[in-house]
Amino acid sequence: MPSKLEGKVAIAPPRPSRTTPVPVSDLATMADAHLTAPDRNHVPVCGATLRAQHVVPGDLFAALPGARAHGADFVDQAIACGAVAVLTDPVGAAKITHDVPVLIHPDPRSVLGALAAKVYGEPSTKVDVWGVTGTSGKTTTTYMVESVLRAAGRTTGLIGTVETRVGDHRLDSAMTTPEAPDLQALLAVMVERGTSDAVMEVSSHALRLGRVDGIGFAVGAFTNLSRDHLDFHPDMEDYFRAKAGLFDGRARTEVVCTDSEWGLRLVRPDTVTVSTTRDANWTATDRRTTATGTQTFIVHGPVPAPFAVELGLPGDFNVANALLAIGCLHAKGVTVDAIRTGLRTVRVPGRMQRVDEGQDFTAVVDYSHKPAAVALALDAVRAKTAGRVITVLGCGGDRDTAKRPLMGAEAARRSDLLVVTDDNPRGEDPGAIREAMLHGALEVPRAQRGDVVEIGDRAAAIRHAVSAARAGDVVVVAGKGHETGQEIAGVVHPFSDVDTLAAAIRETSR
C-alpha cells in the first residue's frame, strides 16, 4: 500500500542513551532569552526537539513560527509528552497557558542550534565533522571522503540525501540536513558509539535556517553552484550567500573547488583550492577513461610526488569531486595510500550507477535533477560511447518551475532520444510539468537535438527507452537516483529507477 505523505512524515531521530541535564536558566542565559517562571529556573533539560510528536520527558520544545502554523499551537501535545520547557517567540509565548518555563527570544530559530548543542554535550567537539556544500556533488564527495576515512581505519558516520549511517547502522534520510536538535542528537549518538568522523552534506536550507548552527566543523568544502532551489532563494546571489555561510569561520579548514567564479569568491589566504580548469593547490592531469566507465588520472598537490588515482565513477565532474575530497583528506593528515584505496572502492547509490543485467548496452541511473547536472551527466556518458544516448527525464512538482524548460533543452541537445516523463509531481498537474519540459526541448533547433517523445508513466517511459536501445547505446534514467518512492498527489508510491530499469532490461532480453 502506498503511504500518505511517506517521506514527508518526520521519522523520530535517534538520541543518545544519556545526557547531562542542563538547567533551563543556563539555556536562557546562553540564548539571551527572557525566561518566565523564574522560580523554576533550575528545571533540568535533558533533550530538545521542534516536533511535538517527538518529545520525550525532560525535553525543551522549540515552538517556532512556521509558514502554515505556529509551533506554539502544539504546546499542549508537547507538554503531555513530557516537555519541561518551551523556546518560542513573543507571538508563541502569548499562546501558551501552561505553567512551564518559557524562553522567549525574538528569533528562536537563530539560537536553537547552539542550545541543542549544549543540551547534547557539544558533540562536534568530540567528533570531527566534515561538511560539504554546493549544488551538485555533495553526496558523491561525502561518500568519497567517508570511503577514504574507512580505508584509513577511522570509525565513520554519514549524514545526507541518500542515507544517514552510524558505522554500519543505516537510517532513512528525511532531509539532506536534519533540523538542529535532531542533528545534534545524532552527532551525540555517534560520539556515544565511538565514531571518530561524521561526514555530512550541508544544504543551503540548512545554512539559512540554522540547522547546522552550534557545530564546529573540522572541514568545510564547496563543490560548485548552479541553478537550483530558486523556489526557496529569490535569486542566485541569495543562494550563494546561503552556501557561503559554511565559510564564515565555523570550519577550521576550508577547501574550495575553484572551477567556477562562485568558488573563487570563497577563497581566502588559508583556503585549500582544487580545480580541473585552473591553477590550484590540487589539480589533475592525464585523465583516461576505460570502456567500463572507470577513469584514472594523476593528482598533483602539496605531496612529495604526483600520484595516480583510479575512480569507478565517470565524468570530469567526478574528477573535481575527487580532488575536493583529496584536498579535505590531505589537510587532515590522511595518507595517500588510504586516499587511493578509498577512491578506488567508493560506490555512490543513484549517482552514475550502472545497472548491468548482461545487456549489450550501458544503463545508468543518475540523480541529476537540475539543468547543469543533467548536462554534465549526459556529456560524461556521451564521451565514452560511440552509440546513441537515450535519456529518460522528468521534473519534480512544487519546486522551481523555471528550470523545467532548461532541463528539457539540456537533455534534448545531448540525447538521440529523449523520453519526457514524470518525476515526483507532488501536488502539481503532471501534464503541465511535462509540457514545460517539452517546450524547452522542442525549442532546440531540430538539427541540434534528437527525437523527443512524451510518456507520462515513468515505468512505461523506462521500458520504452530500453526497448529502443541497441548494442553500444547508453540509456540514462535521470532525476530520481537513489529514491525508492514517487510522490503523486500527496501519496508516495513505491518506485525505484534502479529496480524498474533492471526489470525492463530483463523483460526485453527474454
Side-chain angles (χ1 to χ4, degrees), residues 96-353:
I96 299 172
T97 58
H98 292 271
D99 185 24
V100 296
V102 179
L103 289 77
I104 305 172
H105 190 280
D107 183 10
R109 182 177 279 280
S110 70
V111 298
L112 179 56
L115 293 182
K118 178 70 172 177
V119 168
Y120 289 112
E122 306 288 355
S124 68
T125 65
K126 302 166 187 173
V127 60
D128 279 344
V129 182
W130 307 61
V132 181
T133 197
T135 303
S136 300
K138 293 189 298 297
T139 299
T140 299
T141 304
T142 57
Y143 270 80
M144 288 176 172
V145 170
E146 199 236 3
S147 179
V148 172
L149 289 171
R150 285 190 163 215
R154 311 276 266 270
T155 305
T156 60
L158 185 71
I159 305 169
T161 308
V162 176
E163 63 181 333
T164 294
R165 187 163 20 85
V166 183
D168 293 323
H169 180 61
R170 188 181 188 277
L171 308 168
D172 289 331
S173 286
M175 57 181 66
T176 299
T177 314
E179 291 284 5
D182 299 347
L183 179 55
Q184 295 291 344
L186 177 59
L187 291 175
V189 169
M190 291 184 181
V191 171
E192 195 171 70
R193 297 185 186 178
T195 301
S196 61
D197 300 85
V199 190
M200 65 178 294
E201 298 178 45
V202 183
S203 67
S204 62
H205 292 67
L207 288 157
R208 180 56 52 84
L209 297 175
R211 293 177 191 164
V212 292
D213 289 357
I215 295 178
F217 288 87
V219 183
F222 176 83
T223 59
N224 52 61
L225 198 79
S226 64
R227 185 189 181 99
D228 200 18
H229 300 306
L230 296 190
D231 52 330
F232 179 77
H233 300 284
D235 51 40
M236 288 294 293
E237 187 62 31
D238 184 80
Y239 182 31
F240 171 74
R241 285 197 299 271
K243 294 288 191 186
L246 185 59
F247 305 92
D248 62 0
R250 72 181 78 195
R252 297 192 294 277
T253 297
E254 297 177 353
V255 185
V256 172
C257 179
T258 57
D259 283 351
S260 70
E261 295 299 317
W262 300 109
L264 287 172
R265 288 174 59 179
L266 294 173
V267 175
R268 297 187 291 189
D270 294 333
T271 303
V272 177
T273 58
V274 309
S275 181
T276 62
T277 61
R278 64 179 88 230
D279 288 340
N281 297 130
W282 292 94
T283 59
T285 60
D286 301 305
R287 176 177 167 251
R288 294 181 173 83
T289 304
T290 70
T292 62
T294 295
Q295 55 181 334
T296 61
F297 50 93
I298 304 299
V299 175
H300 305 263
V303 287
F307 59 94
V309 164
E310 179 184 335
L311 186 65
L313 300 168
D316 287 343
F317 58 94
N318 277 320
V319 175
N321 292 335
L323 286 175
L324 188 65
I326 291 167
C328 294
L329 292 154
H330 180 267
K332 292 303 176 183
V334 180
T335 67
V336 168
D337 285 346
I339 289 170
R340 295 181 65 191
T341 299
L343 291 180
R344 185 176 66 250
T345 57
V346 67
R347 299 293 181 268
V348 188
R351 272 62 175 178
M352 301 301 285
Q353 182 176 346

Side-chain angles (χ1 to χ4, degrees), residues 7 13 15-16 91 118 121 123 130 206 250 289 315 325 329 331 393 405 436 444 508 510:
R15 294 196 184 204
V91 172
K118 178 70 172 177
W130 307 61
R250 72 181 78 195
T289 304
L329 292 154
L393 181 67
V444 178
T508 304
R510 288 175 186 166

